[in-house]
Amino acid sequence: MAPARPGIALRLDAALVPVLAIATALVAGGAILWAAGPQLEGPWLGLQFVAVAYLSLLEGAVGSRDAVIDTVLRAVPYAFSGLAVMLAFRGGLFNIGAEGQLTIGALFAAWAGFGLDLPAVIHLPVVLATGCLAGAVWGGVAGLLKARTGAHEVITTIMLNYIASQLAAYLLNGPLRDRSPLNVIAQTPKIAEGARLPDLVPGMHAGVLLVVAVAVVTWFVVWRTTTGFELRMVGANPDGAAYAGVGVVRRMTWALGASGLLAGLAGAVQVAGVNYRSTLGFNVGYGFDSIAIALLGRNTVSGVLLSSVLFAALRTGATKLQFRTQVSADIISVIQALVLLLVAAEQIVRWLYRLQAARAVAPAGDDEGREVAPVTIGSAETARTSK
Amino acid sequence: MTRGRFLFVLGCIAGLVGIAEALRSPDVPAAVVAASMLATTLRFATPLTLGALAGLFCERSGVANIAIEGMMLAAAFGAFIVGALTKSLAAGIVAGMVVGALMALLHAWLSVTLRVDQIVSGTVINIMAAGVTGFLSTEVVRRQAISGAGLLPAWRVPGLSEVPVIGPLFQQQPIAWVTLALVVVAHLVLFRTAWGLRVRAVGELPRAAHAAGVSVARTRYAAVMVGGAIAGIGGGYFTLEAVPVFEPMMTNGRGFIALAALIFGGWTPAGAWVASLLFAAANALHINAQQFGIPVPAQVVGMFPYVLTIVILAGAIGRVTPPAAIGQPYVRD
């Protein structure tokens, strides 16, 4: 069959389209910045304005020690939820519900953090595990429904997002609300000291290490275990997998459950490492961002990690960009959407830069398939026609 | 939609009105609750029905559409901004339709021509609509302090609109009336015209349609864009009929509920409409809960439409058959 490991050239080729997509989106974003900026005389001043905007973006993202820490801390939940979406993708499932799973994870992690009275050694693990479990249940429900009844996971996970936000609104205004007289907003009390993630360096919690560990475990499970192999089989060809004796129902439930677990962990880490409580409306936007991250990272672990750092840097730097240029920080959402469009429809990028069609790639179920999305997703047709 | 399912839906709607009646505070008269529930249900069903009809044309031609949400959101913005700048509500609606059709063109280009996975394409459009409208609403609307052109006035049916309890049903705004007409028109177009037959053919068996001389790609483009224009009217509902302002993410998942209504309605116009009424009734209960003095936390009632969507999708009342070629790009050979 295929060679055991892809050569460095193939890896570079796989990274080429995302990199060009990002570059193209930044150029297009520059044009939008120019249009949205002040009226300037002549192209030089306009270019200068765009350059200043992007430099302030860069400065805001990595220009100082605090900026770097901000970016890294923001990348943590992105990485967890990006891995979550990736894992489901590999099973041929589209988890748009990372946001809801993250919300529920944060909610229950916070409850475990202030509601339980445990010794410090086990309190933190219990908090994280509670968040994981809550997220896994939230995702697993969608998986079970898909596998048993065929209810499309895109709709059920989105509905579960809305249910999660209503549930959070109810619990944070009701049973879980911080009753101290000083509190005026919908949030839980702070979690116990022993339930908090320790700092790795001042200002940066140890959740960063957890990301690395979880990324390695995820990679191992998806690409080096029987479970992962079956998952990818189901993703590549559910009928074939069933024919080969894979329990498709079980794998789909497992895939969305495990995906929810990772998203729930994202919420729990935010609670245990950053906010020390769960606050209403703090988890908005992760759903779409995590899909974008998984797609940009081409559903590979290393790709997801790189993409989450990039997205975190863009979001962190956007504040400075807005401050310096008076252009709304929402420009980042436009740039992200363009990146996503160009990654999803990579023919556009290949046409723009006169690249050859994608190299022949092995079927996604194959071990070699790590560099491409499953057949049901994205580059499927390119893979098929390029043989 | 089978008769059993139709009766089931009517029973559910009656049940929701019954719940509202049973839980209302004694200060609110029963007639007010019934009247308010019926009128609100019909009004809330408008964007859901339009979204479902948009998905209907698209999916019947074999192109999965989870981008209804994004199409409606972008159209809501387009309708608002053009309406505000021209001070013409009619121009606003036309703009909404154009924006919806353009978003649909992008979807068709991605999924028919470039053969991107249709779910991915839909997600890209949703994210793009959210990003671009969010950016434009801060950059243009808020910065230039643009205010809307107002709301479409209600059209009353003389006589009937004066009847107690059901009267409010007969004083709806224009898009609500147009929606009812479109349900009938969509049925006629899809099942009684040659074009409708072609749309269904490329959605069921594109190879056969191709052999019979129908251009699969062209038919799909047309169907997707017709759907987009209908979603555009649905977008207009948000900024020209419901509230005279644009807010980021204001469609709030209605596009996805519309898709669920389409599926539950068995990919037929009448079925989609009836299913939309059911979701709208659940929503009406939520919105009116406070006014009726219902002693249940608003957030709990607020989960109801979404829980209902999941339960219904899970096929608690039987399965439906989607168009056979849905989600599959057509490759000529």
Side-chain angles (χ1 to χ4, degrees), chain A residues 17-26 292 295-296 310-311 314 332-345 349, chain B residues 124 128:
Chain A
V17 169
V19 168
L20 288 174
I22 294 163
T24 313
L26 284 175
L295 286 176
L296 179 61
L310 176 77
F311 271 47
L314 286 174
I332 298 306
S333 302
V334 178
I335 294 176
Q336 284 179 351
L338 287 170
V339 171
L340 192 57
L341 171 71
L342 294 171
V343 173
V349 174
Chain B
V124 168
M128 182 156 275

Side-chain angles (χ1 to χ4, degrees), chain B:
Chain B
M1 181 177 267
T2 60
R3 181 174 300 165
R5 183 171 289 201
F6 186 75
L7 291 175
F8 168 83
V9 171
L10 287 186
C12 281
I13 295 174
L16 286 165
V17 177
I19 291 174
E21 292 287 2
L23 294 178
R24 81 193 148 86
S25 102
D27 310 336
V28 187
V32 168
V33 169
S36 181
M37 278 296 286
L38 290 178
T40 322
T41 297
L42 192 59
R43 192 150 54 85
F44 284 177
T46 300
L48 300 181
T49 310
L50 289 170
L53 291 178
L56 177 74
F57 280 99
C58 198
E59 301 213 329
R60 275 286 183 160
S61 79
V63 179
N65 190 357
I66 66 159
I68 302 167
E69 177 87 358
M71 292 177 187
M72 290 209 292
L73 183 62
F77 182 81
F80 171 80
I81 199 85
V82 170
L85 293 179
T86 61
K87 293 292 165 211
S88 157
L89 294 168
I93 292 187
V94 172
M97 292 175 71
V98 170
V99 171
L102 287 176
M103 295 300 275
L105 178 64
L106 178 61
H107 186 45
W109 184 58
L110 290 175
S111 47
V112 177
T113 305
L114 299 185
R115 295 183 210 132
V116 172
D117 179 275
Q118 293 167 7
I119 303 290
V120 170
S121 164
T123 306
V124 168
I125 286 170
N126 286 334
I127 293 179
M128 182 156 275
V132 172
T133 57
F135 176 70
L136 288 177
S137 76
T138 36
E139 271 308 305
V140 181
V141 179
R142 217 184 300 162
R143 179 159 303 177
Q144 324 249 341
I146 292 173
S147 57
L151 292 178
L152 293 161
W155 290 351
R156 291 160 199 280
V157 180
L160 284 173
S161 61
E162 312 298 327
V163 179
V165 182
I166 60 161
L169 282 178
F170 296 97
Q171 31 185 303
Q172 300 282 338
Q173 287 161 293
I175 295 180
W177 291 119
V178 167
T179 303
L180 296 179
L182 271 178
V183 172
V184 179
V185 171
H187 179 86
L188 294 177
V189 167
L190 208 50
F191 297 104
R192 294 282 182 277
T193 66
W195 184 73
L197 180 62
R198 284 202 286 274
V199 168
R200 288 183 289 131
V202 299
E204 295 291 340
L205 208 55
R207 205 168 294 273
H210 175 70
V214 176
S215 164
V216 176
R218 202 180 302 154
T219 310
R220 285 185 172 173
Y221 263 89
V224 172
M225 287 181 72
V226 165
I230 297 174
I233 306 177
Y237 165 86
F238 291 94
T239 46
L240 302 178
E241 195 155 291
V243 287
V245 293
F246 178 84
E247 286 160 25
M249 308 301 280
M250 73 188 301
T251 43
N252 204 13
R254 246 70 67 86
F256 296 109
I257 296 186
L259 186 56
L262 172 67
I263 296 170
F264 178 55
W267 284 272
T268 61
W273 179 58
V274 174
S276 298
L277 283 177
L278 175 55
F279 292 120
N283 212 351
L285 184 62
H286 170 218
I287 293 294
N288 289 323
Q290 206 164 6
Q291 189 203 330
F292 297 163
I294 291 177
V296 180
Q299 298 94 352
V300 176
V301 191
M303 290 179 203
F304 204 72
Y306 306 115
V307 174
L308 188 68
T309 308
I310 292 181
V311 170
I312 280 178
L313 264 192
I317 42 260
R319 297 245 191 156
V320 285
T321 316
I326 196 163
Q328 298 162 7
Y330 177 66
V331 191
R332 259 164 65 177
D333 48 13

